[in-house]
Amino acid sequence: MRRYGKDADEDDIRSRPGRRGSRPRTRIRPKHEDADEAMILTVDRGRMTCLVGGGTKDERQVVAMKARELGRKGVVVGDIVGVVGDLSGDPDTLARIVRVEERTSVLRRTADDDDPYERIVVANAEQLAIVTALADPEPRPRLIDRCLVAAYDAGMEPLLVLTKSDLASADELLESYATLGVRSVVTRADELETVGAEAVRAHLRGLTTVFIGHSGVGKTTLVNALVPEHRRTTGRVNSVTGRGRHTTVSALALRLPPPPGAKPGSKKALDPGWVIDTPGFRSFGLSHIDPSRVILAFPDLEPGTVDCPRACSHDEPDCALDAWVADGHADPARLYSLRRLLATREASEGD
């Protein structure tokens, strides 16, 4: 039995609205042009603390969660996002993150070299501070090398921060990294709250710096000295294993205090720099690293790769870098340093 005539059109068809209403579904998402820009300070169980109006008199912290339209896109500390909703910052209010701006840099790591899953540590940082104790616990040079590779791959400037120089000398470790041209600063416990903290701050002004290091090296203690207004819990090194305990469980971005003598309202006072404290780790996997990007951190060697065979690892008999260095275009120690870093992808951290 024909329900409609043979000349029926769409206006003749009756449709029953669904249980959730008659509003049609669409893939067109709102653009949220009115969203305010914010910086992610920390992430805790699906709730993000954002800084809205940073550097202005209306600066405030707002708690937000991801909007559904972001899907599976992750949000990490350092991200610049668009937020809508209740942006008052009052207790028990919640805003929505509707947009994540394009990242200028991404620091990644994997749990180990066999783990294909990348973990984004932070976004939009310009400098990576590798914190290493000179004693208690002992330095782990291969772990430092791995962090350097991750910094070069992310396009970040590395900074080597050596702590506990009152327990051991820094000369031997600094000598092993001299050919890499990595900037460094040495601190000691009895000067950390005074001249030691200011010496480190001099390398951080106006930059967003990520502090990483394995447990027990004094990373959070250093951050507490740099930003005394926000002190985080610290722990002790286990006397049996020689390893530290995880006391920092989530990454947190903290603004540095203005430098001495900075005029209120000036750029130095409003943008003195940021430090991002991260949880300590016991391994730093590099399975996600593309070796071809590491060479970009060696501008004196990069031109010599033009004649390298395709997919050259820069550590094989046919590599053109050997002839480039032999002709006097670069220091042989620099080529050795490059290959030492590239070899960290194939060796375990204890080798």
Side-chain angles (χ1 to χ4, degrees):
M1 178 178 179
R2 187 187 298 271
R3 185 170 183 179
Y4 303 102
K6 63 179 180 178
D7 297 324
D9 57 23
E10 61 269 15
D11 294 331
D12 297 319
I13 307 299
R14 292 185 299 173
S15 60
R16 179 178 298 176
R19 295 180 180 179
R20 297 185 180 181
S22 59
R23 183 178 178 182
R25 298 184 63 182
T26 175
R27 293 184 178 180
I28 301 175
R29 302 302 184 193
K31 296 181 179 180
H32 296 294
E33 290 90 347
D34 59 340
D36 286 51
E37 187 176 276
M39 174 184 173
I40 301 296
L41 301 181
T42 189
V43 179
D44 182 17
R45 291 169 293 185
R47 295 292 189 269
M48 295 80 174
T49 302
C50 315
L51 183 69
V52 179
T56 69
K57 63 179 181 180
D58 296 326
E59 176 181 294
R60 59 205 181 276
Q61 292 188 13
V62 174
V63 178
M65 62 181 297
K66 284 197 317 177
R68 181 175 297 178
E69 53 258 39
L70 286 181
R72 298 176 63 88
K73 185 178 182 64
V75 179
V76 299
V77 173
D79 267 329
I80 303 300
V81 299
V83 290
V84 298
D86 192 334
L87 305 182
S88 64
D90 295 336
D92 301 322
T93 60
L94 191 64
R96 283 191 304 136
I97 298 173
V98 296
R99 184 171 59 247
V100 179
E101 303 296 343
E102 184 177 356
R103 294 161 174 164
T104 58
S105 67
V106 177
L107 178 65
R108 301 180 174 92
R109 80 177 184 95
T110 55
D112 52 55
D113 290 337
D114 297 326
D115 185 2
Y117 180 70
E118 297 180 12
R119 294 163 176 81
I120 299 180
V121 183
V122 295
N124 300 320
E126 299 145 307
Q127 186 170 236
L128 180 65
I130 306 168
V131 185
T132 300
L134 294 166
D136 191 30
E138 294 296 319
R140 295 164 63 183
R142 296 290 75 79
L143 185 57
I144 298 175
D145 290 350
R146 286 170 168 264
C147 295
L148 287 173
V149 171
Y152 295 142
D153 177 74
M156 300 169 62
E157 188 71 22
L159 172 67
L160 188 59
V161 181
L162 303 181
T163 63
K164 306 183 183 182
S165 63
D166 49 318
L167 301 180
S169 172
D171 295 341
E172 183 178 352
L173 192 60
L174 289 176
E175 184 180 357
S176 65
Y177 290 95
T179 57
L180 284 171
V182 178
R183 294 179 303 121
S184 61
V185 58
V186 182
T187 68
R188 50 186 297 148
D190 54 352
E191 298 178 349
L192 194 56
E193 298 291 338
T194 55
V195 295
E198 193 55 40
V200 178
R201 286 194 196 103
H203 292 81
L204 312 179
R205 296 294 183 195
L207 301 173
T208 299
T209 304
V210 186
F211 278 68
I212 65 172
H214 62 88
S215 304
V217 298
K219 176 174 51 62
T220 299
T221 300
L222 176 59
V223 171
N224 286 342
L226 294 172
V227 192
E229 298 83 3
H230 300 276
R231 303 191 71 86
R232 310 192 78 183
T233 303
T234 59
R236 295 178 178 271
V237 175
N238 189 305
S239 59
V240 177
T241 64
R243 292 186 174 186
R245 301 180 64 183
H246 293 300
T247 54
T248 299
V249 296
S250 61
L252 174 65
L254 299 169
R255 181 190 281 122
L256 288 168
K263 296 181 180 179
S266 65
K267 179 175 176 56
K268 289 184 178 180
L270 296 176
D271 188 21
W274 290 84
V275 297
I276 301 178
D277 187 20
T278 61
F281 53 81
R282 296 199 173 111
S283 64
F284 202 104
L286 298 176
S287 64
H288 63 289
I289 296 295
D290 181 357
S292 65
R293 293 203 295 263
V294 179
I295 188 66
L296 300 179
F298 294 78
D300 51 336
L301 296 176
E302 186 183 2
T305 63
V306 174
D307 297 326
C308 282
R310 181 174 296 182
C312 179
S313 66
H314 306 308
D315 192 14
E316 52 191 62
D318 295 333
C319 179
L321 286 176
D322 291 292
W324 174 266
V325 170
D327 291 340
H329 295 293
D331 187 345
R334 291 280 288 171
L335 179 57
Y336 169 78
S337 296
L338 168 66
R339 287 175 172 169
R340 186 184 80 183
L341 293 183
L342 292 174
T344 63
R345 300 182 70 254
E346 307 299 333
S348 65
E349 294 168 9
D351 292 344

